[in-house]
Amino acid sequence: MQSDDDSPQADGQSLLRVAGARRTFLTPEGSAVRALDGVDLNIRPNEFLTLLGPSGCGKTTLLRAIAGFEDLDGGRLELEGRSLEDVPPHRRPFNTVFQSYALFPHLDARDNVGYGLDAARVPRAERERRVDEALALVGLSELGRRRPRQLSGGQQQRVALARALVNRPRLLLLDEPLSALDRGLRQAMQIELKNLQHTVGITFVVVTHDQEEALTMSDRIAVMRAGRILQLGPPGRIYDTPADRFVARFVGDSNVHAGRVAAVSARGALITLDEGFELHAEGTGFAPGEAVDAMLRPERLMLAREPGAGPALQAVVERVVFVGADVQVHLRLPGGAALRALHRHLPGAEPPPNVGGQAFIRYEPAAVHLMRSAP
Amino acid sequence: MSRRGAPLDWALGAWGIAFLAVLYLPIALVLAYSFNRNVVNMMVWEGFTLDWYRSIFGLATRLAEDASYVHSTEGLVHAARNSVVVALAATAVSTVVGTATALAMARHRFRLRPLYQALLVMPMVMPDIVLGVALLVFFVGAGMTLGLGTIVMGHCVFLASYVFVVVSARLAGMGADLEEASADLGAGPWTTFRRVTLPQVAPGVAGGALLAFIISMDDLVITYFIAGVESTTLPVFIYGMLRRGMKPEINAIAMLLLAFSFVIAATGLWLRARRR
Amino acid sequence: MSGALSARRRRALAGLLAPHSLLLAAFFVVPLAIMAVYSVLTPGLYGGVEWEFYPYGYGRVLGAPLGEVEEFDPVYGEILLRSLRLALTTVVVTLLLCYPAAFWVSRLPPRRRALVLFLVTLPFFANLIVRVYAWMLILRPTGVLNQLLGLAGLPAADLMFSETAVVIGLCYVLLPFMFLPLYAAVERLDPALVQASRDLGAGALFTFRRVILPLTAPGILGGCILVFIPAFGNFVVASLLGGAKVMLVGNLIEQQFLAARNWPFGAALAMLLLAAVLVLLVVYVVRTPHPEGVR
């Protein structure tokens, strides 16, 4: 597994360490599913970490194991160097915002928020003060006496957040926190969650399958698949230099083509793609003859009527799709390869090419990202 | 609805009304006859009276002495008291036991679970006469005196299963989310049970207890085998009366019993409907 | 890591299951086991048993080699067959009564549907003995039925103490056991499926046979079993509405325990009844598709 950490010294400031975590489930049909297949992860103090992956990749299992709801079959969890093995969920200084929110329907918002303080036998006056603060923090001071049923989805989510944060956990675990909200509210909450994390200074670990959400909110993203972490790093790094074709396709829109390094020189590398075209890339660290996957982000391709000074590919325009601010252009290379390019639709700029016409795809070698070939 | 569906709808409606009539007409008849003044032939309507009800409660009536079995209400009151005592005790025990089992089965997976579940359902689905004679053989073999105690134990065997089923249905709609949230917020298992699980399952537990109470009050077959001479319950008492012949005050007793179970059942069904 | 949580859960599980397990062990499993043993012991002269192996309680019913006291007598086979016949008749009649009614209820507007469901469920909670008694009022020679027939100028029907009376009583008492599972299945039936069938050109009968019947089959099977078991083992209805004329297995068992005092024979009969029920339940569990299996 590749640990694409910010700095190797990061171990020094680890809050929670996950080492070699394994967990296997038995399906009702009797086959075994490896939900966690050897996960190593250092969660740092005061960071916003996102576990990103498709459903069934093990991200929720990892979150539940940290919270203490799942046993691990193997591996360790350490909070600042102390093992969590014998610590049941209610003794762990972590709190969770559940996907369903799991608000207690028989308690009003105030009592939901005060629940953890009651369990910890916090004195009455302090309890009231902290509940007030927490409700104010999420902007619900007025609605404390409402039952969960009387609150909207977004308000319920805020109560769930307040209920978790009021206990000042070392780690706040959020399981798909925004999935139940509609699109507009979701985008507003992404920003708000990020601001909130900054305000309270608590480490957030968020599980999501929404790459846009992950890119917007996170300090670091761990992309997971089939019980493993494929890549761990800040959003920019994940987006620009994905570790393999799976990450490239899961995060953002991308053109990924398999090929081989044909030649390497001081100025860069020449890649021959399996579909019969060539790409120029910058210096790579790959040796000639090595199998690679080449990725081109659509927004880094420029369409023109003539080839320019740099490298370019000649293609036929197959389809032009309007996607809001941009126009997505589907192109076909002579060898049969399909590429997508984003054409920025600015006033006074060149209009998008005509369907059926010829176009040149210009790119900079720096825009070509090479990855280990994956099956 | 299409025009072709209309006659079908009409036929279904007629069938449905007839169905309800079949369910309620026999009961309505008992009600009507319980007010019949005719002492000589209870099947011939002679006029309205409340005397049969009065005779049950030992009040003065204008009835001839021999018209009624209930010369004194002692036997009837005794049987009724036995029924209530047994039902209360058996309901209390089986509610606790069945609820605990429902909690265990809903939140834990273990290898013998399907087998255990089958065992739990057995006392409900097997013919009650089999359980009745098995308990008789057992109690006599163990040298226990047949009486209220043995009836309570016998009732608990199948009532606990009913409570288990009702509470399980409630728990099935709950999920483990709330309990996990409680643990996550630092509450220990006991606090979680008291403050989250119990308030959530309470309607189910109440429903299960009401059902258990009604079934215990209603049980004839099992009680019939394991009741001692001095510990007759109401259904067994009425069964004995009916085997000796029909007398008009049975109508009144039947109606009172019916009203009693309907009130409890209606309460239970209303509670359940209100929670939705 | 794996140990801590699971150990805690195991302890909680054991604690919660202990009371019910003890209850069932002491008052269910052990009594049934004792009865199984009794069924192959020698009947005592004045009730009770003697501890000697003696399989002729079963022989008396099934026709195995003759013992000293017990003799094979076809009358017991007849009683078994009669119980079976009446139970099956009850199943068929309740099914025919309830199936259309279930559709009727499922098509009612929500508020009225809730009311009707309440009305259908309510008699289920009424005392069994009261409900049987109501039919004694109707069916006895001077009863309501004959009064009505007399008013219509028809000859009186002598139904009391007949197999018909017993079947009527069983049907009335067991109606809710058939209705509720049927209704659950009918309600789950998506009307869009019926519409889709009609849309594809299927006639009403074809739709019923190919869509409605298969989809409600689990409810039908469940209702049939829930009605059959208590009908087969019933003795109260038969003793009140059938009298001495209609003897069923239940009455025979009662007689052996309370009158004849031949406990081993009674136990053998009870074991046979139990075996029949277990076979039925196994059939039900095996034939009912597993929820996950459907997808």
Side-chain angles (χ1 to χ4, degrees):
Chain A
M1 107 132 235
Q2 175 182 356
S3 185
D4 197 29
D5 230 320
D6 258 355
S7 60
Q9 295 83 12
D11 278 7
Q13 42 167 316
S14 162
L15 176 67
L16 185 90
R17 200 163 79 84
V18 181
R22 285 175 200 286
R23 176 77 166 123
T24 305
F25 287 113
L26 286 177
T27 63
E29 288 78 37
S31 54
V33 175
R34 286 185 188 167
L36 295 178
D37 192 11
V39 169
D40 299 309
L41 179 64
N42 267 322
I43 301 173
R44 298 173 188 162
N46 204 9
E47 77 167 329
F48 197 124
L49 176 74
T50 301
L51 306 177
L52 174 68
S55 63
C57 72
K59 56 193 192 300
T60 297
T61 306
L62 179 57
L63 195 81
R64 289 174 58 81
I66 295 173
F69 301 133
E70 302 279 358
D71 281 330
L72 291 179
D73 298 332
R76 287 138 52 82
L77 289 175
E78 284 172 6
L79 177 66
E80 291 171 331
R82 277 179 332 226
S83 169
L84 288 172
E85 183 172 353
D86 283 328
V87 185
H90 65 278
R91 301 248 164 76
R92 296 190 184 188
F94 310 150
N95 288 121
T96 308
V97 174
F98 290 80
Q99 184 172 9
S100 64
Y101 309 147
L103 297 179
F104 304 122
H106 57 296
L107 302 178
D108 64 22
R110 283 195 72 87
D111 287 343
N112 263 288
V113 175
Y115 189 93
L117 301 176
D118 293 343
R121 303 220 160 74
V122 171
R124 182 111 202 121
E126 189 192 341
R127 176 211 194 253
E128 295 302 310
R129 187 177 50 76
R130 282 170 67 178
V131 169
D132 285 336
E133 278 173 16
L135 283 172
L137 187 69
V138 296
L140 284 182
S141 299
E142 309 300 314
L143 301 178
R145 283 299 164 214
R146 292 238 186 126
R147 292 277 178 98
R149 222 171 311 197
Q150 300 165 300
L151 296 169
S152 70
Q155 290 165 341
Q156 289 182 16
Q157 152 129 75
R158 285 156 192 272
V159 175
L161 262 173
R163 183 177 74 173
L165 286 172
V166 76
N167 307 295
R168 298 177 189 147
R170 303 297 309 278
L171 206 60
L172 184 72
L173 308 169
L174 302 99
D175 187 6
E176 301 270 3
L178 307 178
S179 63
L181 306 179
D182 58 45
R183 188 177 158 79
L185 195 53
R186 195 161 65 227
Q187 284 172 340
M189 278 307 288
Q190 288 171 13
I191 308 295
E192 206 174 314
L193 269 184
K194 179 72 192 159
N195 288 340
L196 197 63
Q197 192 261 334
H198 197 74
T199 313
V200 296
I202 290 172
T203 304
F204 279 29
V205 179
V206 177
V207 157
T208 184
H209 65 271
D210 183 335
Q211 47 98 16
E212 191 189 315
E213 203 169 289
L215 292 173
T216 312
M217 302 189 295
S218 319
D219 295 326
R220 288 196 303 163
I221 297 174
V223 184
M224 291 185 70
R225 184 195 189 190
R228 293 165 174 277
I229 293 180
L230 297 180
Q231 190 173 10
L232 175 67
R237 170 120 42 99
I238 300 268
Y239 187 83
D240 291 334
T241 58
D244 62 20
R245 65 158 60 208
F246 175 81
V247 178
R249 283 185 171 151
F250 196 75
V251 180
D253 194 12
S254 62
N255 300 295
V256 179
H257 297 272
R260 218 163 262 286
V261 179
V264 178
S265 72
R267 282 177 308 160
L270 183 67
I271 317 298
T272 326
L273 286 313
D274 296 352
E275 285 161 301
F277 64 102
E278 289 184 339
L279 286 171
H280 296 271
E282 281 199 331
T284 59
F286 288 97
E290 229 177 314
V292 291
D293 285 331
M295 180 198 75
L296 279 161
R297 294 287 183 192
E299 71 272 16
R300 299 194 66 175
L301 303 179
M302 284 182 335
L303 297 180
R305 297 189 197 288
E306 296 95 28
L313 297 163
Q314 194 174 8
V316 176
V317 178
E318 283 204 323
R319 202 158 46 224
V320 176
V321 182
F322 183 67
V323 288
D326 300 315
V327 175
Q328 194 182 56
V329 183
H330 295 242
L331 301 136
R332 181 74 63 182
L333 300 187
L339 267 82
R340 284 182 311 283
L342 270 193
H343 187 85
R344 184 107 297 196
H345 197 56
L346 294 170
E350 242 184 288
N354 296 324
V355 175
Q358 293 277 330
F360 286 92
I361 306 170
R362 296 188 199 166
Y363 65 94
E364 291 165 28
V368 178
H369 172 61
L370 298 182
M371 305 168 289
R372 258 173 323 117
S373 172
Chain B
M1 260 293 121
S2 68
R3 199 178 303 157
R4 216 184 318 167
L8 181 65
D9 276 358
W10 192 86
L12 274 183
W15 190 271
I17 302 296
F19 184 75
L20 284 181
V22 166
L23 277 178
Y24 280 91
L25 275 184
I27 295 173
L29 274 175
V30 183
L31 179 66
Y33 278 101
S34 72
F35 299 119
N36 186 4
R37 185 159 31 179
N38 194 330
V39 177
V40 184
N41 184 350
M42 64 179 275
M43 297 311 300
V44 178
W45 184 258
E46 201 175 71
F48 182 86
T49 181
L50 285 176
D51 278 356
W52 302 115
Y53 290 93
R54 297 167 66 89
S55 83
I56 294 172
F57 291 106
L59 301 170
T61 64
R62 285 158 288 140
L63 299 169
E65 272 291 292
D66 62 331
S68 154
Y69 284 133
V70 189
H71 300 298
S72 78
T73 56
E74 223 172 274
L76 185 66
V77 171
H78 189 67
R81 197 191 314 120
N82 282 345
S83 271
V84 173
V85 167
V86 166
L88 285 177
T91 301
V93 175
S94 55
T95 302
V96 173
V97 171
T99 302
T101 307
L103 288 171
M105 299 293 276
R107 295 290 176 259
H108 300 270
R109 298 279 171 275
F110 52 99
R111 213 165 344 129
L112 293 178
R113 196 170 181 277
L115 205 66
Y116 197 77
Q117 201 141 21
L119 178 67
L120 286 172
V121 180
M122 272 313 285
M124 285 192 304
V125 294
M126 69 194 267
D128 36 14
I129 190 170
V130 177
L131 184 55
V133 296
L135 284 169
L136 171 68
V137 168
F138 171 72
F139 286 138
V140 171
M144 294 166 84
T145 317
L146 296 180
L148 293 186
T150 52
I151 303 178
V152 170
M153 288 180 247
H155 281 198
C156 285
V157 172
F158 58 96
L159 293 184
S161 294
Y162 280 98
V163 174
F164 160 72
V165 168
V166 174
V167 178
S168 290
R170 175 83 194 169
L171 280 168
M174 256 175 69
D177 260 23
L178 294 179
E179 283 152 25
E180 287 184 359
S182 173
D184 184 73
L185 293 166
W190 175 241
T191 309
T192 297
F193 176 74
R194 205 166 40 83
R195 292 203 51 190
V196 176
T197 314
L198 205 54
Q200 289 302 301
V201 297
V205 175
L210 282 177
L211 183 67
F213 188 80
I214 289 182
I215 293 176
S216 173
M217 289 288 294
D218 184 34
D219 179 70
L220 168 60
V221 178
I222 290 164
T223 315
Y224 181 69
F225 284 101
I226 58 177
V229 189
E230 276 302 295
S231 53
T232 309
T233 62
L234 211 43
V236 177
F237 185 80
I238 299 174
Y239 181 63
M241 285 171 84
L242 289 178
R243 292 241 275 194
R244 277 181 283 153
M246 294 171 70
K247 291 277 185 168
E249 82 271 20
I250 293 179
N251 289 321
I253 297 173
M255 273 345 278
L256 287 178
L257 207 52
L258 206 61
F260 180 75
S261 14
F262 276 10
V263 167
I264 293 180
T267 314
L269 291 173
W270 177 72
L271 270 179
R272 204 177 64 176
R274 219 176 50 119
R275 293 298 303 195
R276 296 267 161 84
Chain C
M1 187 83 212
S2 65
L5 278 171
S6 351
R8 214 185 316 274
R9 298 187 127 241
R10 264 198 300 278
R11 273 201 303 277
L13 178 68
L16 286 171
L17 286 185
H20 213 151
S21 304
L22 285 176
L23 180 74
L24 286 179
F27 299 119
F28 187 69
V29 177
V30 169
L32 285 180
I34 291 177
M35 199 173 64
V37 174
Y38 269 32
S39 73
V40 290
L41 292 181
T42 309
L45 211 47
Y46 308 101
V49 290
E50 281 164 26
W51 284 88
E52 212 174 309
F53 179 68
Y54 185 84
Y56 304 122
Y58 291 99
R60 215 168 160 185
V61 184
L62 302 173
L66 308 179
E68 292 163 40
V69 190
E70 328 273 10
E71 289 192 4
F72 170 67
D73 190 333
V75 79
Y76 300 118
E78 279 166 31
I79 290 174
L80 264 176
L81 280 179
R82 183 186 301 131
S83 306
L84 187 67
R85 192 175 68 238
L86 295 196
L88 287 175
T89 313
T90 305
V91 166
V92 171
V93 173
T94 50
L95 178 61
L96 291 178
L97 279 173
C98 292
Y99 199 61
F103 277 91
W104 172 63
V105 177
S106 74
R107 286 166 167 219
L108 291 172
R111 286 191 69 91
R112 206 177 320 156
R113 184 169 59 214
L115 176 71
V116 170
L117 269 183
F118 172 77
L119 287 177
V120 173
T121 321
L122 202 54
F124 175 69
F125 298 104
N127 228 292
L128 172 99
I129 191 106
V130 173
R131 285 184 286 160
V132 178
Y133 170 72
W135 282 97
M136 293 173 75
L137 268 187
I138 298 172
L139 297 177
R140 60 191 301 206
T142 58
V144 178
L145 180 68
N146 281 337
Q147 288 182 23
L148 287 177
L149 288 174
L151 284 180
L154 293 168
D158 186 19
L159 286 180
M160 194 64 181
F161 304 130
S162 70
E163 289 190 3
T164 313
V166 174
V167 168
I168 290 175
L170 285 174
C171 285
Y172 185 63
V173 166
L174 299 175
L175 219 44
F177 287 102
M178 180 61 85
F179 181 84
L180 292 176
L182 270 186
Y183 173 74
V186 168
E187 205 217 3
R188 229 177 293 133
L189 179 72
D190 184 354
L193 294 175
V194 177
Q195 283 160 13
S197 167
R198 303 306 294 262
D199 182 71
L200 293 168
L205 211 62
F206 188 87
T207 303
F208 179 77
R209 209 158 43 81
R210 299 287 296 269
V211 177
I212 299 177
L213 203 56
L215 285 174
T216 53
I220 296 176
L221 186 59
C224 288
I225 287 175
L226 282 184
V227 169
F228 181 84
I229 292 173
F232 193 46
N234 194 290
F235 85 91
V236 175
V237 174
S239 91
L240 290 178
L241 289 172
K245 279 198 206 155
V246 187
M247 178 168 274
L248 303 183
V249 190
N251 306 75
L252 188 58
I253 295 175
E254 185 219 348
Q255 218 179 52
Q256 297 310 314
F257 276 95
L258 300 183
R261 299 225 142 244
N262 186 342
W263 286 16
F265 183 46
L269 287 168
M271 291 312 289
L272 287 173
L273 193 58
L274 189 60
V277 166
L278 279 178
V279 168
L280 259 180
L281 287 177
V282 168
V283 168
Y284 177 59
V285 170
V286 171
R287 288 295 299 274
T288 308
H290 208 254
E292 281 89 347
V294 178
R295 286 190 194 149

